[in-house]
């Protein structure tokens, strides 16, 4: 169901939150995993059935999946990874495959733009061919769904079969992250503030555009005495440190590396900033809003505009404009929205609401909804190696 990397953080939290909410409705869930154990599973409150299948070896995985489908006969399958998408649509599974949905967690055309034109065109064509064969596509934001629609409408008209596309926002377990946010934080910038603290969370990769954030931070008035902390590891660590030195802000920024609990930093901060070039739906921005931390974001495709309610819950600025980002950061620090208003705006990400939508679009009955029998089985395919 989910593509995890080690220490993947946000994506893992989203899916374990969704699984627990689906279990609460009375739906049985089978997880098809490369191994019976996975670190993210420890966060699950409920019990799931686990089956081992190695998605990195499609030929060997195929008979295992066939045996599973014949034995368990799930009512629906939700796949969250390209390898599992391809496995599910192999010809030998025809007639064995139940209702199948692919969850798409990124803006694919925007992601492909980062490749050469030929590679982008080829990969876009391959994904369009793959996606046209499925019963349902689930985009995690309206921007992701709109991008899928445009992608599938390209090519010869006779090949434009398009599956149903639904949008379901990622769920956020507000109680769980509030508990984590309450854990003590020992960093001196947060224990004894001498100025506002700005926090961002994400892998140190080009798509997150932390270089823009550093350039904008350097434009803040020196009298603010602000500090910037970034939670996340990645290949741009040294490059960002060098940029901070060139900008003369090295003593006022800190790259904290991967944090298993970034919420204590976000909750203690005066401002959260998303500086991405593109997103599917920025989970850290969702979580900051849920914690009541004031937010600023680039108006990137896609997700932030929807999350921040067209700018009503935080300013949206152009993707590559450090001056505009600095001005938005300054204005929010000087006049932040009340935390209660931000938390109220995050109520749309309630796990029960998300689970009910997933059950609806997958055709699964929810007890007490008038939809029929409870205890239907949903197979979840695509949890990656850690």
């Amino acid at each position: 169901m989910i593509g995890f990397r080690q220490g993947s953080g946000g994506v893992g939290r989203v899916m374990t939150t969704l699984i627990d909410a689906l279990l609460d409705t009375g739906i049985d869930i089978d997880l098809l995993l490369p191994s019976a154990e996975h670190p993210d599973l420890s966060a699950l409150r409920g019990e799931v059935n686990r089956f081992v299948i190695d998605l990195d070896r499609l030929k060997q995985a195929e008979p295992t999946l066939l045996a599973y489908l014949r034995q368990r006969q799930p009512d629906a399958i939700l796949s969250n990874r390209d390898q599992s998408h391809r496995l599910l649509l192999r010809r030998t599974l025809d007639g064995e495959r139940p209702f199948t949905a692919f969850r798409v967690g990124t803006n694919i055309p925007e992601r492909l733009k980062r490749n050469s034109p030929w590679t982008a065109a080829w990969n876009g064509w391959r994904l369009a061919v793959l996606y046209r064969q499925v019963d349902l596509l689930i985009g995690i934001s309206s921007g992701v769904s709109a991008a899928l629609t445009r992608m599938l409408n390209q090519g010869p008209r006779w090949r434009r079969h398009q599956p149903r596309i639904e949008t379901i926002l990622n769920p956020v377990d507000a109680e769980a992250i509030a508990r984590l946010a309450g854990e003590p934080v020992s960093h001196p910038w947060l224990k004894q503030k001498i100025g506002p603290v700005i926090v961002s969370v994400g892998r140190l990769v080009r798509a997150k555009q932390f270089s823009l954030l550093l350039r904008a931070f350097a434009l803040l008035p020196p009298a603010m005495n602000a500090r910037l902390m970034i939670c996340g590891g990645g290949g741009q660590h040294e490059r960002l440190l060098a940029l901070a030195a060139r900008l003369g802000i090295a003593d006022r920024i800190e790259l904290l590396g991967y944090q298993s609990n970034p919420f204590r930093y976000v909750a203690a901060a005066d401002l959260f900033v998303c500086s991405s070039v593109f997103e599917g739906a920025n989970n850290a921005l969702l979580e900051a809003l849920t914690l009541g931390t004031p937010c600023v974001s680039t108006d990137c495709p896609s997700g932030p505009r929807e999350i921040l309610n067209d700018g009503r819950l935080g300013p949206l600025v152009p993707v590559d404009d450090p001056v505009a980002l600095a001005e938005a950061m300054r204005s929010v620090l000087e006049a932040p929205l009340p935390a209660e208003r931000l938390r109220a705006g995050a109520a749309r990400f309630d796990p029960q609401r998300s689970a009910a939508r997933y059950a609806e679009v997958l055709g699964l009955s929810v007890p007490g909804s008038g939809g029929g029998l409870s205890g239907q089985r949903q197979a979840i395919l695509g949890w990656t190696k850690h």
Side-chain angles (χ1 to χ4, degrees), residues 165-205:
I165 298 175
E166 299 283 353
T167 301
I168 307 180
L169 299 176
N170 282 341
V172 178
D173 188 337
E175 292 183 5
I177 66 172
R179 285 194 302 271
L180 290 167
E183 292 184 358
V185 57
S186 59
H187 198 285
W189 291 356
L190 295 172
K191 289 191 71 174
Q192 295 181 330
K193 286 185 181 179
I194 58 174
V197 176
I198 301 165
V199 167
S200 192
V201 178
R203 290 182 297 127
L204 305 185
V205 295

Side-chain angles (χ1 to χ4, degrees), residues 109-120:
E110 291 295 326
R111 186 189 71 189
L112 293 178
K113 283 181 183 178
R114 275 66 204 173
N115 300 318
S116 70
W118 188 92
T119 301

Side-chain angles (χ1 to χ4, degrees), residues 14 140 169-172 177 263 266 272 274 281-293 295 303-304 306-308 342-343 345-349:
V14 167
I140 65 169
L169 299 176
N170 282 341
V172 178
I177 66 172
F263 306 114
V266 175
F272 177 90
C274 167
N282 187 288
N283 292 320
L285 184 61
L286 290 169
E287 292 156 350
L289 203 63
T290 302
L291 289 169
T293 301
C295 298
E306 192 167 5
I307 294 167
L308 295 180
L342 299 176
R343 294 191 189 100
R348 297 166 289 156
F349 316 127

Side-chain angles (χ1 to χ4, degrees), residues 145-162:
S145 296
L148 285 170
T149 300
R150 291 193 300 271
M151 185 174 76
L152 297 183
N153 277 338
Q154 295 175 353
R157 187 173 299 276
W158 63 271
R159 298 179 61 183
R160 291 184 191 174
H161 166 72
Q162 184 165 302

